[in-house]
Amino acid sequence: LLRKEWLVALVLALVFVASAERLKSAPRQSISVEMQVALPLFVQVFMAVGDRHLAANIAAIRALVVVPHQMEPEEFKILAKVQEDVSWLNPAHEDNYYIAFAILAQYGELDAAQTILARASRVRFFDFQPTFFYGFNQWYYKHDPVGAATWMREAAEKLPDPNQRLTMQNMAARWMDKAQDTELAIRVVESMAKEAKRRDFRAYLELRVVRLRQLHQLRTAAAAYRERFGRPLSNLQELVDSGMLHALPTDPFGFGFGFDQQGEIVLRTSPPRS
């Protein structure tokens, strides 16, 4: 046993000497101590005496001590690699997915953050937060309301409180208002209405379907108007004046319809100003 220990110590010493000699000739970069390098996974596990969870904890501690506003872009890439390694070693690591959401997404490492959150979501079946964070990133950073709503509905199923589930499902339904593909949005909200257990929430979702159908009708008519007259709409009343529509639809929520900055017809989220 003693000979084996000496042999391991000798191997480690040789590895250290070889690494030190190699680092002497390596180019120096102005990177802070915390994020100089991301070690290969097998090295991390080896240094943790074969315990992958310990290796994950060690790497997660490195991520915890960083100071984001003092870091350079290349350091965030290393941080992203370190945290992705943690999520591979222990995908359920709570601190790791928190940091990924709080730091990586807003500092240009969104794909790494989403990988970490997706892994955490799969194994933390009892925890709605990584699923919610993934959906939020899809909405806020990737401008993907359909994908965001899908993840939000999954997060809602992990909530124990029925009122909280309802709130999150409502958020998912509201996000579908921003979908470019209105036909897909209609199908998604229709599906949500069919699955709804509470009658009042089902009725509410059915009204949202009505609004989406109205939006689809207006956008279809606007496309036909542009093709016929060679110019975009300046106001919705032109659809009626030109004979494209017999009358403008009446929003069941009373908010009506308007135009975004790109001239696309959208659903209003508040009553128009008088």
Side-chain angles (χ1 to χ4, degrees), residues 34-261:
E34 293 85 0
M35 284 297 141
Q36 285 186 343
V37 67
L39 295 173
L41 281 168
F42 78 92
V43 174
Q44 295 182 56
V45 176
F46 178 78
M47 291 175 65
V49 200
D51 188 335
R52 61 187 294 168
H53 288 90
L54 176 59
N57 288 339
I58 293 171
I61 290 172
R62 292 182 63 197
L64 279 169
V65 300
V66 299
V67 183
H69 67 273
Q70 296 179 358
M71 291 172 61
E72 300 295 333
E74 62 267 27
E75 294 177 281
F76 285 108
K77 293 185 183 300
I78 297 173
L79 175 62
K81 179 63 171 65
V82 168
Q83 291 200 246
E84 277 194 272
D85 286 350
V86 174
S87 73
W88 187 88
L89 293 164
N90 180 12
H93 202 293
E94 189 172 9
D95 290 337
N96 193 53
Y97 82 70
Y98 272 132
I99 300 169
F101 173 71
I103 296 179
L104 294 183
Q106 65 173 308
Y107 284 98
E109 296 298 331
L110 178 60
D111 289 341
Q114 294 299 74
T115 296
I116 293 163
L117 291 168
R119 287 172 177 171
S121 178
R122 284 194 293 268
V123 298
R124 295 180 68 89
F125 56 86
F126 52 89
D127 185 357
F128 80 94
Q129 291 182 110
T131 312
F132 171 82
F133 291 155
Y134 190 104
F136 178 86
N137 285 345
Q138 287 295 112
W139 164 261
Y140 188 79
Y141 293 105
K142 293 205 169 185
H143 310 293
D144 174 19
V146 177
T150 299
W151 281 84
M152 197 60 59
R153 292 169 65 189
E154 183 179 332
E157 294 303 313
K158 296 183 178 184
L159 286 167
D161 184 271
N163 291 324
Q164 291 178 340
R165 286 200 299 270
L166 210 62
T167 298
M168 198 162 289
Q169 288 166 353
N170 180 37
M171 188 182 299
R174 290 169 63 91
W175 281 355
M176 294 308 298
D177 289 353
K178 301 295 184 180
Q180 288 298 312
D181 188 339
T182 51
E183 292 182 307
L184 175 59
I186 290 167
R187 291 196 297 271
V188 170
V189 181
E190 280 181 333
S191 174
M192 292 180 66
K194 291 177 181 178
E195 295 171 0
K197 295 179 174 61
R198 282 180 46 168
R199 290 184 180 180
D200 56 348
F201 188 57
R202 185 185 310 123
Y204 163 78
L205 290 174
E206 287 170 350
L207 288 180
R208 299 203 74 91
V209 172
V210 170
R211 298 183 84 221
L212 287 168
R213 289 190 182 280
Q214 292 173 339
L215 177 63
H216 181 70
Q217 178 190 26
L218 288 172
R219 286 183 176 178
T220 301
Y225 179 94
R226 182 165 192 158
E227 184 175 349
R228 176 185 292 185
F229 297 104
R231 59 182 176 84
L233 288 173
S234 58
N235 62 77
L236 295 177
Q237 185 59 37
E238 288 180 329
L239 294 175
V240 178
D241 296 342
S242 65
M244 291 290 180
L245 294 176
H246 295 298
L248 293 177
T250 302
D251 178 8
F253 289 173
F255 297 156
F257 308 87
F259 294 89
D260 63 13
Q261 293 181 347

